[in-house]
């Protein structure tokens, strides 16, 4: 297993760099990942049943959660003086 350097933490997230990687990644808690997965499952069910309004709500929840992860990642990278990989 490669070494992991913890760079910074924010809420349920941490910026960490694996020795084998050029750029850090965002580490999230397992329960947070599981919750996001459950919303995606709900979204699929809503789309299959034709419930567009509920599907939009679930899609928005996923988008907002991912937007929060991106914002945390970018802020922690900026605070540590690191360039973004994109």
């Amino acid at each position: 297993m490669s070494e992991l350097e913890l760079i910074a933490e924010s809420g349920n997230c941490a910026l960490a760099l694996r020795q084998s990687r050029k750029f850090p990644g965002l580490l999230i808690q397992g329960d947070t990942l599981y919750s996001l997965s459950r919303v995606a499952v709900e979204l699929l069910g809503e789309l299959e049943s034709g419930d567009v309004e509920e599907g939009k709500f679930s899609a928005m929840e996923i988008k907002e959660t991912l937007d929060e992860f991106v914002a945390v990642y970018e802020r922690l990278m900026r605070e540590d003086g690191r360039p973004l990989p994109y």
Side-chain angles (χ1 to χ4, degrees), residues 8-70:
E9 294 181 73
S10 179
N12 282 338
C13 301
L15 188 65
L17 179 62
R18 286 179 44 204
Q19 190 177 32
S20 62
R21 303 295 299 201
K22 182 176 179 179
F23 290 98
L26 192 66
L27 177 66
I28 60 172
Q29 293 298 114
D31 59 334
T32 303
L33 180 61
Y34 180 79
S35 294
L36 187 58
S37 169
R38 295 297 89 206
V39 176
V41 168
E42 288 175 18
L43 173 58
L44 285 174
E46 292 156 358
L47 293 175
E48 287 174 352
S49 71
D51 192 347
V52 175
E53 288 307 310
E54 283 300 313
K56 286 180 183 178
F57 179 79
S58 294
M60 185 57 70
E61 188 174 347
I62 293 168
K63 180 204 174 298
E64 288 173 355
T65 300
L66 292 173
D67 284 348
E68 288 175 22
F69 290 152
V70 169

Side-chain angles (χ1 to χ4, degrees), residues 22-24 73 77 82-86:
K22 182 176 179 179
F23 290 98
Y73 179 77
M77 290 286 282
R82 294 176 182 263
L84 294 173
Y86 46 86

